[in-house]
Amino acid sequence: MKILVGIKRVVDYNVRVRVLNDGSGVDTDGVKMSVNPFDEIALEEALRIREAGNAEEVIVVSAGGDECQQQLRTGLAMGADRAIQIQTSEALQPLSLARALLKVIEREDPGLVILGKQAIDDDNSQTGQMLAALWDRPQATFASKMVLNGNSATVTREVDAGLETIEVDLPAVVTVDLRMNEPRFVKLPDIMKAKRKPLDVIPLAELGVAVEGNLNVHHFAPPPQRAKGIMVEDTAQLVQELKNRGLI
Amino acid sequence: MTEREIMEYDVIIVGAGPAGLSCAIRLKQKKPDLMVAVIEKSSEIGAHILSGAVIEPEPLDELLPGWRDNPPPICIPVERDEIWLLSQKGRRRLPTPPQQKNHGNYIVSLGAMCSWMANQAEALEVDIFPGYAAADIRFTEDGSVGGVIIGDMGVGRDGQPRDTYMQGIEIHAPVTILSEGVRGHLSKRLIKKFELDKDSDPQTYGIGMKELWRVQPGKSKPGLVQHTAGWPLDSHTYGGSFIYHLDKDRIAIGFVCGLDYQDPEFMPFEAFQQMKNHPMVHEMLEGGEILSSGARAIAEGGYQSLPRTEMPGALIIGDSAGTLNVPKIKGTHQAMRCGILAADHIAETSAVAGFDRKLRDSEVVRELYKVRNIRPAFYKGFWRGFIRAAIETVTAGKLPSTLSVHADDGALRKLEGYTPPDRKWVDRDLPPRDRLASVYFAATAHDEDQPVHLQILEPDICSTRCVEEYNNPCTRFCPAQVYEMVDSAEGRQLQINSANCVHCKTCDIKDPYQIINWVTPEGGSGPNYQNM
Amino acid sequence: MSNILIIAEHDGETLNASTAKCVSCAQAIGGEIDIAVLGDGIDAVASQAAALDSVRKVIAVNAGHLAAPLAANWAAEILNLAADYSHILGPSTTLGRDLMPRIAALAGVNQVSDIMEVNGPTSFKRPIYAGNAIVDVETADGAKVIATARIASWKAAGASGSAEIVQGAASGSAAGHTRYIGLESEGGERPDLQSASKVISGGRALGSEENFALIYSLADKIGAGVGASRAAVDAGYCANDMQVGQTGKIISPDLYIAFGISGAIQHVTGIKDAGTIVAVNKDSEAPIFEIADIGLTADLFSVIPELENLLG
């Protein structure tokens, strides 16, 4: 089977993100961009499935301007076989992205689609679930373990109450959480090999998907400052304060 | 251990700073068919680059003639120079010496400029690999340098392979260029192995610490270049500050301090913070915020300390050799010239032999020679240094004598019998409050589960001799608070917070027992400087 | 006038506290508030939902295929139920985050995730970049608003209501392609550090692994999770996965008590979204007092035993 892995170009997780003074966005000037960390985990899982003999091809997909080809090449260097850029100069909201991915699915007919559980810029955590809905296929989100059994997969999910196990028939959409695996390092020679692997560019319009989204995101502000606190004299006063505030 | 995979290049360059990148670009310009690769331990080009910086553009004009039509992202023409002598509360304007007349020069972010240069190098088909550390030299059968060995990745703190273990490959090349910057760890080993410094004085260093600030509107005067001397340093500690005014309400402010200081209790970081609280500087910074901060050693030995730069199979260029011009406090143009010279030589001869001779006959060394006595003049204290520096400047270094340069690790005075000067330091209120807060802005990151990259060769000394003789100066000279003495069941012990390290190399230089050996951590580790 | 349908979270017997928080969020949006409870044999849960303040009606939908909270089964059901509602709101818990986007896609709209503040019925504030920036999000006129409420940002609504409970008929059947196998609860009685509503942390001042027992004991007394500063972890006093901070876990409990932690920025980064931060430290200059809501300059070795006493 083929596995499709979605990856997103995001501000590197080490960068200290700052809001622009005019509130129009986040300062990305000269800032390092990387593959979304959860997407790397998604790709690693796909590669392991292929290496175990349960898939023939791993395809990485990203939606964005030509800059995202840098991240697609990283995916190829990690071991993906092929890359697809859904070319769009405007950022896609999750529903449009899910629609675009569905079109790619119709072309490629994968048995499994693996995404990161959320992108560390928007923190939306929507695309995987939306894609599964539009595709009318199962979703297994926040997955920390996946075992393939022929035409189905047993997935362990990290939920608030603990670990939930579900079984999904393939094809399905899985979104991965941090504990799924630790992504491999890229070997230098593989960076060179990646330059020769196929990278197809498909303009968004060619997929018949429109950019528009129903959310208007505006006015970026830094997080609110915490109000000044108080000092207490002794333990008894501390306990009283906590009780007054209904905390214990 | 399986055999390492091998990649082959005609030239392998270690370090993507101005020297290495200039060399790479020039090589491809001269010989487009050469296979050239640059490896760089930082996660992204520029992430480990920290410099003032005011640069002289001539080497850029030579290397990339059209550069002014497409300049690096931060590039402000110098408008005005000021030199100030500070006292605790006051200041006196000094005449600007010729080395500090910056008309025609540019204030840049060297990190952003290296990133910009890297793009140009890639356009010429140089293979650039950030995130990979050269951990070892590969020697050929006859003992010459034949390339480098990339560090293994995914090794645990205990030295055992983790699940993600990936063996580092070997890069074989007939020519290896070491452009690791000041106190490069491979350069250090090669200088020792090939005795490249046997005919030169020891290298001497300074620590440079820098913060990039966004200040209140109107406080930054773009193009203004300011330097200060005097307070907060005493007359026997060499150093001073730089304040470079950028665009978009940004100021690059930093402090350089000679690492031959004597007081074992001295903390360079604190001296930097004191300077910021001088009324002249405080006024600029108050109400502002820190965008980025960090530190890096600088090479101050100049002409006398320049080692032999060629050995079988390899060259050492830029500040790994030590080409910075101290009175100008500029090294970038020198590093670039060095890189261009090395590239021209290799393109012409396909070998390294003969480069050192060319370097000694070049503008790089002529410039170093002219100012060779200025730094060592300050060994006798500020005022005598100042006078001798003036004489050397006026005579353009033509006086026959050459002062020797001393090593830094012997300079520290022992606690017993030493009285530190009255520094007249003040209570300060500008951020960062301490080194931990400062390190936060360096965005330094090390996977904690990897071997500690700061090797203590004789650990017993720390809790015994060093406590008594110097009171563990490493806990004070490190700008990132890597070293701490903590109480434990076994008594006071050295704790190494290696994750804080900003790769400045000060500890490797200043430790009086020379038992700290800095080696490269896993590729991609270390600071993530932005626009520094 | 908004019609808001809240999707209740529960474990089959007990309503999850996140539902009461959704009610607070819905109150801020304004309008009529109904709660949908899906499951099998969940009438008790429906009663608990009906007791929440400001709720007009609780719709209980009992059906075998709704017993497990599988998004594939619940989403279609909810879309039907919500035909006449302007807003569908779920909690930003793993259940809500799994379910709500599927509903949004079926409804043909994008979702507003993690509402922290309500500006108006179609305008909200939410965190991005792990809370390092807050944005205003507006939904298009006339579009259904499908959203999750950020649990840490809302107080639980009171429970003095008495809404009517109606039985809803399940409209669909199981999507056969997804099957619920089981749930393994977190081992041990102590709440998981990442999701605990109360956390107590110890720093290097504890001095030893043995002394950390003081922290564990106090935590167990008040039902809190346990964390540690990097310094304590580096010194070997506790396990690596207890580290709170920039290179450890980023948590947002309602109550965070730090004993003997200096509060370096690397640690504070991990707790900046905590509801109430309490700091106990011998050093009155410790930076943690700059961000603590309640500070006590005292020796933790005196304070912890005193707390154990006072808390009975």
Side-chain angles (χ1 to χ4, degrees):
Chain A
M1 78 173 158
K2 286 187 208 172
I3 306 180
L4 209 65
V5 177
I7 67 175
K8 186 177 182 187
R9 174 182 166 91
V10 296
V11 173
D12 185 83
Y13 73 92
N14 274 319
V15 171
R16 306 255 168 277
V17 165
R18 284 187 60 256
V19 172
L20 291 168
N21 287 344
D22 63 5
S24 60
V26 151
D27 191 0
T28 54
D29 173 36
V31 139
K32 174 162 188 240
M33 305 297 281
S34 301
V35 174
N36 183 41
F38 293 108
D39 301 346
E40 274 189 349
I41 295 173
L43 176 55
E44 174 63 31
E45 199 58 25
L47 295 172
R48 291 184 187 192
I49 294 172
R50 188 192 65 199
E51 283 158 8
N54 293 322
E56 301 96 48
E57 205 185 11
V58 173
I59 306 165
V60 280
V61 190
S62 190
D66 290 346
E67 331 66 70
C68 76
Q69 288 182 16
Q70 186 188 41
Q71 280 59 47
L72 287 168
R73 290 283 171 209
T74 300
L76 292 170
M78 269 180 78
D81 301 290
R82 236 194 320 136
I84 297 174
Q85 176 199 352
I86 301 172
Q87 192 184 49
T88 163
S89 51
E90 286 177 66
L92 295 182
Q93 292 189 4
L95 189 58
S96 306
L97 177 57
R99 286 176 179 150
L101 287 173
L102 187 63
K103 293 289 177 189
V104 175
I105 285 173
E106 283 166 14
R107 291 183 181 205
E108 297 288 346
D109 193 25
L112 196 52
V113 175
I114 315 181
L115 307 175
K117 74 167 180 181
Q118 70 197 63
I120 62 170
D121 48 12
D122 305 325
D123 286 329
N124 272 322
S125 187
Q126 295 177 26
T127 305
Q129 298 86 311
M130 292 186 157
L131 177 60
L134 298 175
W135 196 14
D136 197 17
R137 293 306 306 165
Q139 67 191 55
T141 58
F142 323 134
S144 61
K145 188 164 163 206
M146 178 165 39
V147 176
L148 294 181
N149 320 302
N151 290 333
S152 66
T154 307
V155 182
T156 307
R157 306 176 53 229
E158 300 221 357
V159 297
D160 294 325
L163 294 173
E164 181 189 277
T165 307
I166 61 174
E167 201 178 71
V168 295
D169 290 337
L170 302 183
V173 177
V174 177
T175 79
V176 299
D177 207 330
L178 207 58
R179 275 172 273 245
M180 177 67 113
N181 62 47
E182 213 182 324
R184 64 193 61 187
F185 293 106
V186 174
K187 256 199 314 207
L188 261 176
D190 291 341
I191 297 182
M192 302 308 296
K193 286 189 202 141
K195 295 189 185 182
R196 297 188 292 274
K197 290 185 183 175
L199 193 160
D200 299 316
V201 180
I202 310 179
L204 184 66
E206 199 180 299
L207 293 174
V209 174
V211 174
E212 97 282 76
N214 66 299
L215 297 182
N216 175 18
V217 177
H218 65 101
H219 191 247
F220 292 64
Q225 296 275 49
R226 294 186 73 94
K228 192 138 172 49
I230 59 159
M231 296 298 288
V232 294
E233 296 286 308
D234 54 34
T235 312
Q237 235 189 25
L238 172 60
V239 171
Q240 195 54 54
E241 241 345 286
L242 291 175
K243 284 188 173 155
N244 288 348
R245 298 178 190 214
L247 290 166
I248 50 164
Chain B
M1 173 76 54
T2 51
E3 288 248 327
R4 294 178 188 273
E5 233 176 288
I6 297 170
M7 277 177 86
E8 293 189 354
Y9 280 93
D10 294 314
V11 182
I12 176 71
I13 299 174
V14 180
L21 289 170
S22 297
C23 188
I25 290 172
R26 183 69 154 205
L27 277 169
K28 284 300 242 184
Q29 286 171 341
K30 283 276 163 94
K31 281 230 163 123
D33 292 334
L34 271 183
M35 301 270 291
V36 179
V38 181
I39 49 163
E40 165 56 50
K41 65 172 163 52
S42 69
S43 59
E44 193 188 44
I45 307 301
H48 288 186
I49 299 282
L50 180 144
S51 180
V54 174
I55 67 163
E56 292 179 7
E58 288 79 25
L60 264 181
D61 290 329
E62 193 194 329
L63 189 67
L64 299 165
W67 77 272
R68 288 160 207 271
D69 296 328
N70 173 29
I74 298 180
C75 187
I76 290 109
V78 177
E79 298 283 331
R80 205 165 87 248
D81 287 295
E82 288 174 7
I83 312 276
W84 294 94
L85 184 64
L86 301 182
S87 59
Q88 191 198 50
K89 292 267 185 292
R91 59 176 183 165
R92 196 153 32 122
R93 181 94 187 263
L94 296 181
T96 308
Q99 304 100 338
Q100 282 299 344
K101 288 207 158 88
N102 284 300
H103 182 72
N105 293 338
Y106 294 85
I107 312 175
V108 299
S109 151
L110 189 59
M113 190 178 111
C114 286
S115 179
W116 169 88
M117 284 176 78
N119 287 341
Q120 320 228 20
E122 284 190 311
L124 291 169
E125 299 192 345
V126 174
D127 288 336
I128 303 194
F129 300 119
Y132 294 90
D136 262 303
I137 297 289
R138 178 238 170 191
F139 290 99
T140 60
E141 273 134 27
D142 64 5
S144 52
V145 174
V148 293
I149 304 174
I150 304 293
D152 294 345
M153 296 172 84
V155 178
R157 204 169 175 97
D158 56 5
Q160 294 305 307
R162 287 161 43 205
D163 292 335
T164 49
Y165 176 74
M166 182 178 77
Q167 195 182 44
I169 67 161
E170 282 188 22
I171 302 186
H172 291 190
V175 174
T176 301
I177 308 276
L178 282 316
S179 46
E180 300 171 284
V182 175
R183 195 79 167 190
H185 81 114
L186 292 180
S187 304
K188 178 181 163 190
R189 275 199 258 164
L190 288 173
I191 289 172
K192 187 158 173 203
K193 179 181 170 74
F194 288 98
E195 297 184 312
L196 300 175
D197 57 352
K198 70 178 195 297
D199 298 321
S200 50
D201 285 346
Q203 186 58 264
T204 182
Y205 305 87
I207 176 178
M209 295 157 288
K210 177 182 172 184
E211 289 168 8
L212 181 67
W213 279 68
R214 172 154 279 130
V215 293
Q216 292 287 301
K219 295 287 168 100
S220 170
K221 319 250 180 270
L224 173 58
V225 167
Q226 297 172 306
H227 291 100
T228 77
W231 190 88
L233 294 177
D234 62 280
S235 61
H236 284 276
T237 304
Y238 181 81
S241 80
F242 63 84
I243 309 167
Y244 300 154
H245 295 239
L246 306 170
D247 58 359
K248 301 189 191 169
D249 296 321
R250 291 179 295 194
I251 293 185
I253 181 162
F255 198 77
V256 176
C257 189
L259 284 176
D260 59 344
Y261 66 80
Q262 298 176 1
D263 178 1
E265 300 282 3
F266 182 69
M267 191 192 289
F269 172 83
E270 185 56 34
F272 177 26
Q273 299 307 318
Q274 287 290 316
M275 180 275 294
K276 284 161 54 192
N277 284 265
H278 184 277
M280 175 180 100
V281 186
H282 192 282
E283 189 263 323
M284 280 180 230
L285 299 180
E286 63 199 3
E289 59 171 324
I290 301 178
L291 300 177
S292 195
S293 79
R296 185 74 174 91
I298 74 172
E300 295 184 345
Y303 176 80
Q304 293 90 312
S305 305
L306 197 65
R308 190 167 157 74
T309 54
E310 78 183 54
M311 72 209 90
L315 296 178
I316 302 184
I317 63 172
D319 270 338
S320 288
T323 52
L324 179 113
N325 180 323
V326 173
K328 284 184 182 178
I329 23 168
K330 291 184 182 68
T332 303
H333 65 294
Q334 294 278 79
M336 290 184 71
R337 277 188 189 143
C338 227
I340 294 169
L341 198 69
D344 286 345
H345 178 74
I346 294 162
E348 197 189 317
T349 69
S350 302
V352 300
F355 170 74
D356 193 75
R357 172 82 273 129
K358 282 192 183 157
L359 181 65
R360 307 259 159 199
D361 290 339
S362 72
E363 187 54 42
V364 177
V365 174
R366 267 201 298 280
E367 187 171 319
L368 290 181
Y369 184 78
K370 250 197 271 185
V371 299
R372 74 195 180 286
N373 286 323
I374 294 183
R375 177 65 182 93
F378 285 88
Y379 293 165
K380 308 247 191 217
F382 179 79
W383 288 110
R384 290 180 63 173
F386 187 75
I387 292 167
R388 177 71 189 252
I391 297 171
E392 290 287 332
T393 302
V394 160
T395 59
K398 293 202 179 87
L399 291 180
S401 71
T402 296
L403 299 174
S404 331
V405 168
H406 62 204
D408 300 323
D409 52 276
L412 215 52
R413 298 279 298 275
K414 300 212 169 97
L415 288 171
E416 192 174 322
Y418 176 75
T419 313
D422 174 16
R423 301 198 177 280
K424 302 199 191 349
W425 282 1
V426 299
D427 287 332
R428 54 182 182 83
D429 62 3
L430 287 174
R433 55 151 51 219
D434 53 28
R435 288 174 292 171
L436 269 192
S438 172
V439 141
Y440 177 76
F441 293 102
T444 189
H446 292 83
D447 188 330
E448 307 213 356
D449 192 8
Q450 65 169 302
V452 175
H453 67 279
L454 302 152
Q455 302 173 339
I456 311 293
L457 304 174
E458 286 172 64
D460 297 327
I461 291 184
C462 304
S463 353
T464 55
R465 274 183 69 192
C466 191
V467 179
E468 268 187 46
E469 295 190 321
Y470 302 104
N471 194 22
N472 306 114
C474 62
T475 62
R476 288 178 293 286
F477 58 57
C478 171
Q481 207 173 304
V482 166
Y483 302 97
E484 278 188 288
M485 293 302 286
V486 296
D487 293 308
S488 76
E490 293 90 36
R492 242 166 131 63
Q493 301 266 330
L494 178 70
Q495 178 171 288
I496 303 177
N497 306 315
S498 53
N500 291 358
C501 182
V502 294
H503 298 205
C504 75
K505 313 298 176 69
T506 298
C507 56
D508 191 287
I509 295 164
K510 185 56 173 170
D511 154 41
Y513 303 97
Q514 285 294 283
I515 55 175
I516 301 179
N517 188 36
W518 190 101
V519 300
T520 182
E522 191 178 83
S525 305
N528 288 287
Y529 296 139
Q530 259 171 260
N531 296 324
M532 285 290 258
Chain C
M1 166 76 117
S2 304
N3 273 307
I4 308 169
L5 183 65
I6 294 176
I7 313 304
E9 175 165 352
H10 61 88
D11 64 0
E13 287 165 29
T14 316
L15 189 67
N16 189 294
S18 63
T19 307
K21 297 199 168 193
C22 287
V23 170
S24 297
C25 180
Q27 285 170 334
I29 295 172
E32 298 291 358
I33 304 173
D34 293 344
I35 301 184
V37 183
L38 278 65
D40 193 18
I42 42 78
D43 290 328
V45 180
S47 302
Q48 293 161 39
L52 293 173
D53 290 348
S54 319
V55 176
R56 175 181 62 178
K57 178 170 76 186
V58 173
I59 308 168
V61 185
N62 278 293
H65 73 282
L66 299 176
L70 293 174
N73 294 338
W74 281 30
E77 207 62 60
I78 290 166
L79 195 62
N80 271 337
L81 279 177
D84 298 324
Y85 287 85
S86 59
H87 293 66
I88 314 178
L89 183 65
S92 184
T93 54
T94 48
L95 180 139
R97 285 160 58 223
D98 178 49
L99 170 68
M100 304 305 291
R102 194 168 181 118
I103 304 173
L106 294 174
V109 293
N110 284 289
Q111 169 186 303
V112 182
S113 302
D114 307 323
I115 298 179
M116 30 185 325
E117 224 180 283
V118 172
N119 301 325
T122 57
S123 175
F124 312 95
K125 285 194 177 0
R126 63 170 298 251
I128 59 171
Y129 285 100
N132 283 306
I134 313 292
V135 289
D136 282 307
V137 180
E138 263 148 37
T139 59
D141 282 336
K144 224 176 192 58
V145 178
I146 300 185
T148 59
R150 184 171 177 270
I151 295 309
S153 301
W154 300 96
K155 294 236 162 344
S160 47
S162 50
E164 70 163 312
I165 304 177
V166 302
Q167 293 292 328
S171 58
S173 54
H177 53 49
T178 310
R179 296 171 288 284
Y180 183 83
I181 306 294
L183 174 70
E184 206 182 288
S185 275
E186 291 281 274
E189 298 106 23
R190 200 172 292 136
D192 174 52
L193 174 59
Q194 189 76 69
S195 51
S197 64
K198 295 196 268 277
V199 171
I200 304 190
S201 278
R204 189 153 68 193
L206 266 308
S208 69
E209 197 178 339
E210 292 72 42
N211 285 346
F212 237 81
L214 293 167
I215 302 281
Y216 294 127
S217 163
L218 186 61
D220 290 342
K221 197 159 217 128
I222 64 167
V226 177
S229 69
R230 200 184 104 196
V233 168
D234 280 351
Y237 303 158
C238 47
N240 198 287
D241 62 6
M242 289 170 58
Q243 193 186 126
V244 171
Q246 188 191 344
T247 57
K249 293 188 167 67
I250 312 242
I251 60 174
S252 46
D254 295 329
L255 174 63
Y256 184 77
I257 309 183
F259 287 102
I261 295 181
S262 68
I265 196 167
Q266 291 84 347
H267 182 77
V268 166
T269 300
I271 57 165
K272 64 176 172 21
D273 286 332
T276 300
I277 298 174
V278 177
V280 176
N281 196 306
K282 252 195 327 203
D283 175 11
S284 58
E285 301 286 299
I288 197 153
F289 289 122
E290 282 166 30
I291 55 115
D293 299 296
I294 309 173
L296 173 55
T297 307
D299 187 340
L300 65 93
F301 289 108
S302 309
V303 174
I304 294 184
E306 282 166 14
L307 278 173
E308 290 258 13
N309 268 337
L310 290 169
L311 296 172

